[in-house]
């Protein structure tokens, strides 16, 4: 007992000393931003319900831990604000939960003045303690999230509380673009409390308080999830949030395939529908009655953003793909030219590199391996394979036959074309379509042979989570190729620790060369725009979206659109009486390169 008391006193003394030593510097230059160009329409109206769809019901409401990394996770996180945000067009820092910020002379520390008005959705104030708890939470083994455990240990040193509304976040090392690392989100200690082994089960369907404009209002398990706008949201009148997050409710209904989703849209049961898929823009939506009569509008919006990593991800823990020659052969058996020309109608472009669109950080000299049956033959024979009686490569009784897991129904047509061409090269691809949650769970558990999918992007290339060996051979990490390469590890570690931008740019390009050399990721295509159809009662700003947008109808990302009741009533009446309006197709090239 005496030892425990002494230990407790020691902890208190340590905390006291740390507090005494951490004094707010006198010479800080406090910054804020209310001068960058506004990207919303401040005259947007509030009201209405926006009806959207998801293809699979999420397996959990947690955003951390097993089964949490589904596409729906972005909707939950979209209502969790951070200390600072990023302007979606200029990439300048914007205030969110902090009103002001300052950079420390050590190039490791950022200081923040917290907004005293900030509130959780349960009404409790957001306090400095919530940022301290973020580190405790993210480092806990109880959340069963190795990537977060590592990141919040290796990248973030500590959070310092000076008073209830002044904190500092300290990185483990000096680095450029410090704001991209240190703009933490708070975590509500009053909700989670002391963590233990029950965390995953206990919070599987609990709704965590948030700081953003919407809160989950209703869950109809397996069928729908509804968000409602907080009428008294603490930030609704702040400069950067005027004209945004306008609709009263967002209802996501589970519709498991795009064909059915399109039918729901045409009946008015969904409010917008993506037309980026070529067959929908050129065929399904062409001369559609609701567009030729002007009841629904079409939009083609060009973006200028880092490209998602569409491609094939080969699992190197599968015996077949341990051989680099076999991985290269697979890449050379993918006839992207045929897919781009015959199926995608020339709308998409060839993606050559996983990290495309990052400016000087992108190695533009890398070119994807082209379809070439002769090269497949040479590579397979060099590794001792022979064509079997059915034309498929075989070695020691093993056929070059792989399962390709994917989740989107419209992609079936694309994969069928690639499968047929791969057969000519002696490779059998068995298409395995699962719903989104099941597919991603399989991939994160590393049970796939080949995954057909894409990851989203950030403002700078991130390599550690995808290619460092610490994330290989274990489930629930994004190293889904199970890349375990000492040379790669060394380059990634230097990149992560570097504070020199020129060095980081050089290392970024070298890492991309190494990814290409390993050949476990096979890039396919990229799309520098999005296309959508929407009912005319939905209104958009003069520039309908931002250069980083995936859609003009992002309810939680930018939240720029709004519902016009007068136009709704006018249109409903016109549809009953047969009155028509001028057809509208908007093509916006504001951000086109």
């Amino acid at each position: 007992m005496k030892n425990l008391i002494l230990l407790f006193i020691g902890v208190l003394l340590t905390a006291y000393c740390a507090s005494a030593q951490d004094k707010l510097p006198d010479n800080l230059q406090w910054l804020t931003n209310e001068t960058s160009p506004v990207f919303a329409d401040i005259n947007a109206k509030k009201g209405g319900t926006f009806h959207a769809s998801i293809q699979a019901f999420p397996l959990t409401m947690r955003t951390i831990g097993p089964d949490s990394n589904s596409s729906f996770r972005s909707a939950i996180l979209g209502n969790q604000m951070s200390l600072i945000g990023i302007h979606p067009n200029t990439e300048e820092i914007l205030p969110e939960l902090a009103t002001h910020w300052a950079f420390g002379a050590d190039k490791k520390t950022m200081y923040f003045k917290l907004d005293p008005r900030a509130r959780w959705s349960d009404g409790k104030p957001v306090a400095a303690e919530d940022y301290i708890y973020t580190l405790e939470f993210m480092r806990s083994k109880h959340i069963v999230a190795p990537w977060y455990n590592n990141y919040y240990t290796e990248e973030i040193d500590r959070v310092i509380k000076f008073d209830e509304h002044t904190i500092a976040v300290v990185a483990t090392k000096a680095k450029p673009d410090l704001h991209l690392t240190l703009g933490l989100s708070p975590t509500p200690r009053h909700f989670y409390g002391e963590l233990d082994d029950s965390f995953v089960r206990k919070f599987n369907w609990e709704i965590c308080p948030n700081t953003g404009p919407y809160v989950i209002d209703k869950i109809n398990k397996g069928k729908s999830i509804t968000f409602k706008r907080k009428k008294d949201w603490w930030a609704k009148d702040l400069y950067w949030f005027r004209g945004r997050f306008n609709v009263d409710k967002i209802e996501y209904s589970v519709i498991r395939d795009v064909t059915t989703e399109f039918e729901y849209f045409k009946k008015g049961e969904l409010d917008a529908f993506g037309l980026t898929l070529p067959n929908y823009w050129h065929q399904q939506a062409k001369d559609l009655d609701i567009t030729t009569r002007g009841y629904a509008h079409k939009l083609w919006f060009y973006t200028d953003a880092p490209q998602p990593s569409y491609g094939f991800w080969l699992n190197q823990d599968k015996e077949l793909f341990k051989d680099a020659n076999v991985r290269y052969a697979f890449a050379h058996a993918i006839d992207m030219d045929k897919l781009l020309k015959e199926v995608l109608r020339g709308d998409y472009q060839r993606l050559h590199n996983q990290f495309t669109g990052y400016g000087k950080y992108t190695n533009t000299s890398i070119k994807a391996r082209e379809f070439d049956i002769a090269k497949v033959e040479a590579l397979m024979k060099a590794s001792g394979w022979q064509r079997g009686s059915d034309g498929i490569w075989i070695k020691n009784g093993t056929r070059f036959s792989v399962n390709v897991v994917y989740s989107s129904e419209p992609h079936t047509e694309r994969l069928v074309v690639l499968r047929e061409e791969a057969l000519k090269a002696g490779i059998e691809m068995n298409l395995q379509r699962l719903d989104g949650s099941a597919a991603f769970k399989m991939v994160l558990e590393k049970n796939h042979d080949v995954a057909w999918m894409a990851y989203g992007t950030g403002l700078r290339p991130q390599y550690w989570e995808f290619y460092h060996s610490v994330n290989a051979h274990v489930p629930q990490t994004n190293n889904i190729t199970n890349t375990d390469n000492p040379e790669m590890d060394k380059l990634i570690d230097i990149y992560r620790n570097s504070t020199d931008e020129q060095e980081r740019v050089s290392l970024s390009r070298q890492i991309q060369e190494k990814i290409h050399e390993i050949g476990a990721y096979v890039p396919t295509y990229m799309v520098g725009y999005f296309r959508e159809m929407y009912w005319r009662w939905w209104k958009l700003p003069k520039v309908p979206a931002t250069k980083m947008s995936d859609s003009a109808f992002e309810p939680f990302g930018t939240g720029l659109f709004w519902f016009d009741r007068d136009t709704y009533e006018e249109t409903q009446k016109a549809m009953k009486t047969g009155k028509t309006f001028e057809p509208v197709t908007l093509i916006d090239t504001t951000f086109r390169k």
Side-chain angles (χ1 to χ4, degrees):
M1 177 64 73
K2 180 179 179 181
N3 287 340
L4 286 175
I5 293 172
L6 290 173
L7 177 62
F8 179 66
I9 293 172
V11 170
L12 289 178
L13 287 173
T14 301
Y16 173 81
C17 291
S19 177
Q21 292 170 1
D22 292 323
K23 294 181 179 179
L24 195 66
D26 296 326
N27 59 345
L28 290 177
Q29 180 184 358
W30 290 102
L31 305 170
T32 192
N33 185 355
E34 289 193 355
T35 58
S36 296
V38 172
F39 49 91
D41 187 330
I42 62 172
N43 296 311
K45 301 174 183 178
K46 303 296 184 186
T49 298
F50 185 75
H51 300 90
S53 67
I54 50 177
Q55 289 193 345
F57 198 84
L59 299 176
T60 178
M61 288 293 111
R62 286 181 287 98
T63 59
I64 293 291
D67 303 325
S68 64
N69 204 4
S70 69
S71 59
F72 188 75
R73 178 175 183 263
S74 62
I76 302 174
L77 290 179
N79 285 288
Q80 186 60 278
M81 301 168 70
S82 301
L83 285 163
I84 51 176
I86 302 296
H87 193 292
N89 293 331
T90 68
E91 299 182 27
E92 296 169 290
I93 302 175
L94 300 181
E96 283 197 1
L97 291 168
T99 60
H100 296 76
W101 53 91
F103 292 90
D106 61 358
K107 297 184 179 180
K108 296 196 305 182
T109 306
M110 282 188 73
Y111 300 86
F112 299 95
K113 290 184 179 180
L114 305 182
D115 195 323
R117 296 165 292 190
R119 292 289 184 275
W120 293 102
S121 50
D122 59 8
K124 295 187 181 296
V126 179
E129 175 62 28
D130 294 318
Y131 297 92
I132 293 171
Y133 184 65
T134 290
L135 289 196
E136 179 182 330
F137 181 89
M138 293 298 186
R139 290 170 175 174
S140 172
K141 299 299 182 185
H142 298 303
I143 67 173
V144 194
W147 187 92
Y148 288 94
N149 292 163
N150 187 289
Y151 181 86
Y152 281 87
T153 301
E154 298 294 327
E155 295 295 313
I156 311 295
D157 178 36
R158 57 185 175 144
V159 174
I160 304 169
K161 173 183 174 181
F162 299 103
D163 58 47
E164 286 302 321
H165 298 108
T166 312
I167 66 170
V169 184
V170 185
T172 54
K173 49 190 173 291
K175 59 171 59 184
D177 302 318
L178 196 61
H179 61 290
L180 299 181
T181 300
L182 299 186
L184 297 187
S185 293
T187 306
R189 183 187 292 274
H190 69 271
F191 175 73
Y192 288 112
E194 295 300 316
L195 300 177
D196 57 32
D197 289 342
S198 70
F199 168 81
V200 171
R201 173 183 50 79
K202 181 178 179 181
F203 293 100
N204 207 45
W205 295 105
E206 295 295 316
I207 307 301
C208 177
N210 64 42
T211 52
Y214 292 89
V215 64
I216 292 176
D217 180 48
K218 186 184 299 183
I219 298 176
N220 188 357
K221 280 192 178 181
K223 295 182 178 180
S224 66
I225 301 172
T226 303
F227 289 79
K228 70 176 180 180
R229 183 166 58 86
K230 303 172 187 173
K231 301 293 186 182
D232 57 349
W233 181 43
W234 69 272
K236 64 185 177 66
D237 296 321
L238 299 186
Y239 183 81
W240 285 110
F241 300 110
R242 292 181 300 167
R244 297 172 62 190
F245 313 121
N246 302 303
V247 295
D248 286 341
K249 290 187 177 182
I250 300 102
E251 182 179 274
Y252 289 95
S253 298
V254 175
I255 303 175
R256 299 190 181 277
D257 64 82
V258 176
T259 303
T260 306
E261 183 183 348
F262 189 47
E263 294 305 314
Y264 272 72
F265 173 80
K266 290 190 293 183
K267 291 188 293 185
E269 296 180 29
L270 292 177
D271 288 308
F273 180 80
L275 297 176
T276 301
L277 294 173
N279 66 314
Y280 278 95
W281 181 266
H282 295 288
Q283 191 172 335
Q284 303 283 359
K286 186 179 181 181
D287 300 326
L288 196 64
D289 184 64
I290 57 175
T291 55
T292 57
R293 291 173 172 265
Y295 303 146
H297 296 174
K298 293 194 291 186
L299 169 67
W300 186 326
F301 188 90
Y302 287 89
T303 58
D304 179 16
Q307 292 293 316
S309 51
Y310 288 105
F312 292 99
W313 303 74
L314 315 184
N315 185 353
Q316 294 173 92
D317 275 1
K318 299 293 183 177
E319 192 64 34
L320 183 70
F321 289 125
K322 292 182 185 297
D323 185 339
N325 280 349
V326 174
R327 299 195 295 270
Y328 297 163
F330 183 92
H332 283 300
I334 303 302
D335 193 346
M336 282 306 303
D337 282 346
K338 183 170 185 175
L339 178 65
L340 290 170
K341 292 174 184 176
E342 297 186 12
V343 179
L344 300 177
R345 299 173 179 259
D347 285 3
Y348 296 6
Q349 297 173 284
R350 183 71 203 265
L351 183 67
H352 291 283
N353 180 349
Q354 179 182 346
F355 296 93
T356 295
Y358 290 89
K360 56 191 174 184
Y361 284 83
T362 295
N363 188 334
T364 56
S365 69
I366 295 173
K367 301 300 177 187
R369 295 176 176 89
E370 298 294 339
F371 180 67
D372 191 325
I373 294 179
K375 287 185 177 179
V376 175
E377 297 269 350
L379 288 162
M380 296 303 291
K381 289 178 179 177
S383 287
W385 292 72
Q386 295 180 336
R387 290 264 199 167
S389 58
D390 59 357
I392 303 300
W393 293 102
I394 188 169
K395 179 181 178 181
N396 298 329
T398 298
R399 299 171 73 250
F400 198 159
S401 178
V402 294
N403 294 326
V404 178
V405 62
Y406 70 107
S407 62
S408 180
E409 186 274 332
H411 289 200
T412 301
E413 180 185 14
R414 305 174 191 185
L415 286 166
V416 166
V417 170
L418 296 180
R419 180 186 66 187
E420 295 308 309
E421 296 307 303
L423 274 174
K424 297 174 185 177
I427 296 172
E428 182 178 66
M429 296 198 300
N430 306 304
L431 306 186
Q432 185 178 11
R433 184 186 164 218
L434 305 174
D435 74 45
S437 297
F440 205 59
K441 180 179 177 66
M442 172 183 280
V443 172
L444 284 184
E445 294 293 329
K446 316 295 175 69
N447 291 326
H448 62 293
D449 295 338
V450 179
W452 165 271
M453 57 174 287
Y455 277 103
T457 60
L459 293 175
R460 296 288 183 272
Q462 300 295 326
Y463 301 110
W464 181 84
E465 61 186 286
F466 296 111
Y467 292 108
H468 199 285
S469 63
V470 73
N471 294 313
H473 322 304
V474 291
Q476 300 293 329
T477 75
N478 287 340
N479 187 347
I480 60 173
T481 60
N482 283 308
T483 294
D484 184 350
N485 184 287
E487 293 178 30
M488 176 74 87
D489 286 352
K490 182 178 178 181
L491 290 170
I492 292 173
D493 289 338
I494 298 172
Y495 176 82
R496 292 182 86 199
N497 293 320
S498 175
T499 61
D500 181 85
E501 185 179 34
Q502 286 189 330
E503 181 183 42
R504 281 171 60 82
V505 167
S506 175
L507 286 164
S508 178
R509 294 173 179 174
Q510 291 177 58
I511 292 169
Q512 290 166 27
E513 281 280 6
K514 194 68 180 173
I515 293 169
H516 179 71
E517 176 190 319
I518 291 170
Y521 166 72
V522 181
T524 54
Y525 52 72
M526 62 181 184
V527 190
Y529 58 82
F530 63 80
R531 299 185 294 220
E532 291 178 296
M533 182 187 306
Y534 58 98
W535 294 98
R536 68 188 294 270
W537 51 80
W538 293 103
K539 303 299 181 181
L540 298 165
K542 183 177 180 181
V543 178
T546 75
K547 75 173 188 178
M548 297 288 187
S549 296
D550 296 321
S551 165
F553 296 93
E554 299 173 335
F556 311 126
T558 51
L560 302 182
F561 62 97
W562 68 93
F563 176 72
D564 189 303
R565 181 161 295 280
D566 291 340
T567 305
Y568 173 78
E569 292 176 354
E570 175 190 45
T571 308
Q572 292 296 317
K573 183 178 179 180
M575 292 169 73
K576 291 176 181 177
T577 62
K579 179 184 175 181
T580 63
F581 305 97
E582 190 71 22
V584 174
T585 297
L586 300 175
I587 300 178
D588 191 292
T589 60
T590 302
F591 301 108
R592 188 176 188 178
K593 289 184 177 180

